[in-house]
Amino acid sequence: MDEYLKRGIKGIIEIASPDEAKTKDIALQTADSIASLVETLFGHRDLLDIENQKKTKQSIKSWLKQHSTSIKLPAATVVNKLYGLFAQFHRLIPMKSKRSGRGGRANAKKPTVQVMVRNELQMYEPVKAFVCFVSECIRLQASPETLPKRLVVPFGKTDVRPKDSEHDWRIDIALRCVPFQRKSPPNPISNSSAVTDPAKLEERPEIADTFAYMELKYRKKNMDDALAQLFRYTKEIYMAQHDRRFVWGIAMCSSVLQSCVFGSNYAAASENMDIAVSSGRKAFVQLLVNWSFCESHKLGYDPTISYDYKAHCLAIQATSSDRNGRVTTKTFYSREVLVCAERMFGRHTRCFKATATKPPPLTDTDARLPHEQMADCNVIIKDAWAEAPENADEDPRDEARHLAIIKAGLADVPSVRGMYPELCSDCDSGRVRFMDPLSKSSYEDTTRTALGENVWSQISESTALRVHKRNFIQGVGKPIKYVRSVPELVIVAADVMRCHWELIDKCGVLHRDISVNNILVRRGSDGDARGMLIDFDHSISIDTVDGYPRAERTGTLQFMSIRNLENTNLKPTALDDWESMLYILCWLGTYGWNSKTRLSDANAGRLSRKVERWCTGPLETISDAKRADLDSENDFQLIIQDFNLELENIDLLFGLVARLRSVLIEEHSDELRGALTNKRLQFNQETRMFESVVISDPFEKRSEKWKDISKLLLQEMEKYAQLARERLSIC
């Protein structure tokens, strides 16, 4: 958490401030009027006192006369509803007051104390009540000229696992956005003074409909615990909502709260807002009001992705520019999400299988059935947040540019046609742009523009800029889980590495991120499996390797090369990707690639699970484990022994990984052989201690001969692919 969290950031609330000047003024005025009502009501102190209750309700009534444009319910009902909500919230703020004794005289000896919150569970209803209080005040103030875009209200149930969660995590309070309507939305507060909808009181949150989470703690010292829970729970929102660019959250301890925004490589927490004091309450009101009036992209949503409820599919916008610079918009439709954003931080890559043909509306009966794949889904839409410079021309890892180079470089290499992605020619791939309503011009969607200059300037020194990119790719493949057998797995892997070599040899492009998610399987009309290499976000030109920053990690832990894990200054080479492929084959041989190839429970107990060390613990520990496993044939045999012996033709995989390791690590001269570093003790004059110093590293020596070794590795891969085809032909 500490690696990403930026604390005490000023201006978090302004991230949600509306872009349009008129709407921004309305939001400020609305927040001021609600905050003034709250302070007036707090001035009446003890709400157990009958006179104070009357004064409170009279203040609400006076406020309604001044600010409410239309009251659909009887005035007394509205007053009672707002009073009930405020009375609930009032319990959060500790205060003492006196009640009248017998005969109307003040009883100074026995001051009464309003029933206050004593633990975390008792905080839920008061906090929900305040959110509902503010949303109801927004609704009552709205006029045709001052309509909010939505209302933010809590789900009914608290401290509960969401309906669609795969975990046992219990969410304190989940907030959702509901469309604005004149009619009062259901009130989830169970209070006798409130107007409630009993059907909604027990409503459980759904991650797919959740806007933000609130995590509450009773004591102020537990703020870090509340923030840590937000980190953990927010990941599920990214997985379930494919249009989220960043996510809001609120951590609250006692009366102190912090509003947070979570992006692809940052988490920013605001300064403390203490609702026990006027300024803190006003800030919280302003945040809730901003959320109601701002544009959807200010809430963290992507306005270019929406859900078509009639056709039950995602609608994803693309733009196309002609030679005259005229821009037109095109829409793709998708019901199949191939890759979702599974991590809290990272590129948040999402891939959609899509078509430009709008599907017909589904009937209620159709909507209850599993969605069939739509016809003509021949486009893959890849949406991701990649580290990049602001100037697109200076971006060395621009995937769209690399794909254009690859298409031209491999045009005359028919043997690898279909093994790499090609951009659609009728729409623009690259950086996502939004329209600025003020200037009527477009701007790029980046972490900087999403947060605004004020917040970005406070975190930019320790946070790399990420740019929102979307590529439209022809040719559709399926994840590796659709491979049907060990021989097909070997063939797919060989295709990928053959394509990998041609990319280097003909196009000068080094992939740098060989992983399970970046390998697809395609089937021709004959049903034969072919491999496809995708995801060129981390690719670089071979010509620029020497000038490229080397201290950068890319990839998935268990598949990362040793050079990558150790973050050394060695320049990246094709051998890093070959090393990653070796780890992938070992991993899949051990754990399988789908439910049918997974080791049965009866035999799982025999595993030594040595490969688990490739993704467990500090990076240095992982690197040491990989060096040890690769260094000798005997150690590597312990890895192979964990392969799933229940799989037919598993001997093919045995032989292939053994040969790849031998060519990569062992079949060299002495200075190039092995995986362990040569070290010696050296006395440090400053510390007056002996230190272990690396004097040579075989990985460094082999990197100088990467091209010759790569050719030998490809020959081994091709040999085993041919054996695999022969096995399949016999079957």
Side-chain angles (χ1 to χ4, degrees):
M1 183 177 80
D2 291 336
E3 179 182 355
Y4 294 98
L5 181 62
K6 320 299 179 185
R7 303 172 186 265
I9 302 299
K10 300 177 181 179
I12 293 291
I13 295 175
E14 281 67 44
I15 293 175
S17 181
D19 282 332
E20 193 177 17
K22 181 180 178 181
T23 307
K24 186 174 184 177
D25 289 341
I26 292 171
L28 290 171
Q29 294 168 13
T30 302
D32 286 344
S33 67
I34 297 174
S36 67
L37 171 62
V38 171
E39 297 315 304
T40 300
L41 301 185
F42 265 101
H44 299 312
R45 310 292 292 176
D46 185 5
L47 295 185
L48 294 180
D49 187 279
I50 300 299
E51 289 300 318
N52 280 338
Q53 291 180 19
K54 291 180 180 179
K55 291 178 182 178
T56 301
K57 291 182 179 181
Q58 184 57 46
S59 295
I60 294 173
K61 190 173 182 179
S62 298
W63 183 86
L64 288 171
K65 287 182 178 179
Q66 182 179 356
H67 296 283
S68 179
T69 59
S70 176
I71 299 179
K72 297 297 183 182
L73 297 173
T77 306
V78 175
V79 170
N80 286 336
K81 178 177 182 177
L82 289 177
Y83 172 79
L85 294 171
F86 179 78
Q88 279 271 28
F89 169 67
H90 196 266
R91 295 173 51 220
L92 266 181
I93 312 303
M95 59 175 65
K96 294 184 178 182
S97 58
K98 300 177 182 179
R99 283 171 60 185
S100 298
R102 292 180 180 177
R105 293 176 299 174
N107 187 348
K109 294 183 179 180
K110 295 182 179 181
T112 62
V113 180
Q114 185 174 334
V115 179
M116 293 296 171
V117 167
R118 300 299 181 191
N119 55 52
E120 180 184 318
L121 290 177
Q122 294 178 3
M123 294 175 65
Y124 300 152
E125 293 302 316
V127 173
K128 283 172 55 182
F130 189 71
V131 176
C132 290
F133 178 88
V134 173
S135 69
E136 186 66 6
C137 288
I138 294 171
R139 185 188 68 82
L140 292 168
Q141 285 191 84
S143 68
E145 296 78 27
T146 62
L147 291 179
K149 292 180 173 60
R150 67 195 69 82
L151 294 176
V152 176
V153 297
F155 281 91
K157 277 196 170 183
T158 56
D159 188 32
V160 67
R161 182 176 70 86
K163 292 180 184 178
D164 47 350
S165 175
E166 297 179 354
H167 303 279
D168 292 329
W169 299 334
R170 301 177 71 86
I171 304 302
D172 290 348
I173 297 175
L175 303 178
R176 58 179 173 172
C177 297
V178 298
F180 173 77
Q181 53 187 0
R182 287 292 183 183
K183 183 180 178 181
S184 178
N187 179 7
I189 305 301
S190 50
N191 182 284
S192 58
S193 301
V195 179
T196 60
D197 180 350
K200 294 292 185 180
L201 291 179
E202 298 302 315
E203 187 176 13
R204 282 173 61 192
E206 290 187 69
I207 302 171
D209 292 330
T210 296
F211 160 61
Y213 289 138
M214 297 184 70
E215 280 303 312
L216 280 54
K217 301 294 178 186
Y218 181 61
R219 302 189 185 281
K220 293 182 180 180
K221 65 180 181 180
N222 293 332
M223 182 61 77
D224 280 355
D225 293 337
L227 289 169
Q229 285 181 277
L230 282 180
F231 268 73
R232 189 159 58 247
Y233 303 160
T234 299
K235 180 176 73 171
E236 285 197 314
I237 295 181
Y238 278 120
M239 291 181 64
Q241 300 180 19
H242 308 304
D243 60 343
R244 287 309 283 263
R245 299 157 50 247
F246 62 86
V247 179
W248 287 87
I250 291 179
M252 183 173 181
C253 297
S254 184
S255 62
V256 175
L257 60 86
Q258 294 179 4
S259 60
C260 310
V261 284
F262 300 93
S264 57
N265 64 336
Y266 64 85
S270 71
E271 299 174 298
N272 287 342
M273 293 180 277
D274 191 346
I275 57 174
V277 298
S278 175
S279 59
R281 291 190 289 269
K282 184 174 182 179
F284 190 22
V285 168
Q286 186 68 67
L287 177 62
L288 295 172
V289 171
N290 281 353
W291 283 347
S292 297
F293 281 89
C294 70
E295 296 79 7
S296 64
H297 69 271
K298 294 279 192 168
L299 298 180
Y301 294 103
D302 186 338
T304 65
I305 300 179
S306 59
Y307 191 79
D308 189 321
Y309 287 93
K310 292 183 178 180
H312 288 271
C313 65
L314 291 168
I316 305 171
Q317 292 181 12
T319 58
S320 179
S321 305
D322 61 19
R323 295 179 179 178
N324 298 320
R326 289 175 298 191
V327 178
T328 57
T329 301
K330 183 177 182 178
T331 304
F332 288 88
Y333 303 90
S334 173
R335 286 186 189 144
E336 189 173 358
V337 181
L338 300 176
V339 178
C340 62
E342 296 178 341
R343 299 179 184 177
M344 180 67 180
F345 300 106
R347 287 182 292 167
H348 288 172
T349 300
R350 300 174 173 102
C351 292
F352 310 94
K353 190 175 180 181
T355 175
T357 304
K358 185 174 182 179
L362 294 179
T363 65
D364 291 339
T365 303
D366 293 333
R368 289 195 296 268
L369 299 174
H371 293 164
E372 296 294 331
Q373 293 185 12
M374 294 183 293
D376 302 323
C377 284
N378 56 357
V379 174
I380 295 291
I381 301 175
K382 179 187 172 185
D383 192 276
W385 288 77
E387 286 189 17
E390 281 194 280
N391 187 343
D393 294 333
E394 299 174 358
D395 187 356
R397 297 183 307 191
D398 184 66
E399 184 176 30
R401 183 183 301 126
H402 284 311
L403 291 180
I405 293 172
I406 291 169
K407 183 177 181 180
L410 299 183
D412 297 326
V413 188
S415 61
V416 293
R417 185 69 51 80
M419 295 182 186
Y420 56 90
E422 294 186 34
L423 296 177
C424 295
S425 58
D426 58 347
C427 52
D428 299 332
S429 292
R431 301 188 173 204
V432 175
R433 303 184 70 88
F434 294 159
M435 184 60 66
D436 184 353
L438 301 180
S439 64
K440 304 300 181 183
S441 60
S442 64
Y443 63 92
E444 291 181 356
D445 187 23
T446 68
T447 47
R448 179 175 186 167
T449 56
L451 295 175
E453 288 297 331
N454 183 17
V455 172
W456 177 250
S457 64
Q458 298 173 67
I459 71 171
S460 59
E461 188 172 332
S462 58
T463 306
L465 181 77
R466 284 187 180 264
V467 176
H468 188 187
K469 298 181 179 181
R470 183 175 300 154
N471 292 331
F472 299 85
I473 300 169
Q474 292 176 329
V476 175
K478 290 188 175 182
I480 202 169
K481 67 180 181 180
Y482 287 96
V483 167
R484 297 170 182 168
S485 64
V486 171
E488 281 197 354
L489 176 64
V490 172
I491 291 169
V492 166
D495 283 348
V496 165
M497 297 315 292
R498 186 186 311 117
C499 178
H500 179 270
W501 171 254
E502 296 294 349
L503 292 173
I504 296 172
D505 189 47
K506 301 293 192 305
C507 310
V509 173
L510 179 63
H511 190 275
R512 296 179 68 238
D513 190 16
I514 303 293
S515 69
V516 167
N517 289 335
N518 295 338
I519 298 173
L520 298 184
V521 57
R522 299 183 65 185
R523 295 189 184 277
S525 56
D526 55 4
D528 291 346
R530 301 291 303 275
M532 183 178 184
L533 180 61
I534 63 168
D535 194 352
F536 290 79
D537 272 342
H538 288 301
S539 299
I540 58 173
S541 171
I542 292 292
D543 296 334
T544 61
V545 164
D546 290 332
Y548 194 78
R550 295 169 192 169
E552 177 202 42
R553 293 188 178 97
T554 60
T556 307
L557 274 181
Q558 56 264 46
F559 310 135
M560 285 171 64
S561 70
I562 290 170
R563 181 206 62 81
N564 208 350
L565 283 167
E566 295 177 352
N567 211 20
T568 67
N569 285 325
L570 290 178
K571 68 180 181 180
T573 71
L575 296 185
D576 293 310
D577 289 343
W578 275 103
E579 188 182 337
S580 293
M581 176 56 77
L582 176 59
Y583 297 142
I584 288 171
L585 294 174
C586 290
W587 190 270
L588 297 180
T590 304
Y591 296 110
W593 52 91
N594 56 32
S595 58
K596 294 181 180 179
T597 57
R598 209 162 287 140
L599 193 66
S600 64
D601 294 339
N603 290 316
R606 70 170 178 81
L607 296 181
S608 67
R609 301 186 185 277
K610 287 196 70 175
V611 292
E612 290 187 1
R613 302 188 306 162
W614 296 354
C615 60
T616 306
L619 297 181
E620 182 179 355
T621 301
I622 296 173
S623 174
D624 289 344
K626 288 184 175 182
R627 282 185 181 273
D629 291 337
L630 292 179
D631 187 61
S632 74
E633 184 177 354
N634 290 336
D635 287 331
F636 192 70
Q637 282 297 321
L638 296 177
I639 298 291
I640 296 178
Q641 287 174 12
D642 276 352
F643 281 16
N644 186 356
L645 300 178
E646 300 169 353
L647 294 180
E648 189 176 359
N649 294 307
I650 192 64
D651 60 303
L652 264 179
L653 206 54
F654 285 161
L656 174 58
V657 298
R659 285 301 301 149
L660 291 179
R661 180 223 153 250
S662 184
V663 173
L664 181 64
I665 301 294
E666 195 164 293
E667 296 178 1
H668 307 285
S669 59
D670 289 345
E671 62 176 2
L672 272 67
R673 184 184 301 122
L676 300 179
T677 55
N678 295 317
K679 299 180 180 180
R680 69 180 179 192
L681 289 178
Q682 181 172 302
F683 187 73
N684 188 318
Q685 294 290 347
E686 294 184 1
T687 62
R688 310 296 297 174
M689 297 177 66
F690 283 96
E691 297 177 349
S692 180
V693 179
V694 175
I695 57 175
S696 67
D697 183 350
F699 283 92
E700 180 179 359
K701 296 294 184 181
R702 286 193 294 269
S703 68
E704 299 171 4
K705 297 182 178 295
W706 67 266
K707 186 172 288 188
D708 294 336
I709 299 173
S710 295
K711 290 179 180 179
L712 294 173
L713 288 165
L714 184 59
Q715 289 175 12
E716 292 294 332
M717 189 70 92
E718 295 280 16
K719 182 174 73 174
Y720 275 86
Q722 182 58 37
L723 290 174
R725 293 186 188 93
E726 292 173 2
R727 296 277 182 99
L728 288 176
S729 64
I730 295 174
C731 296

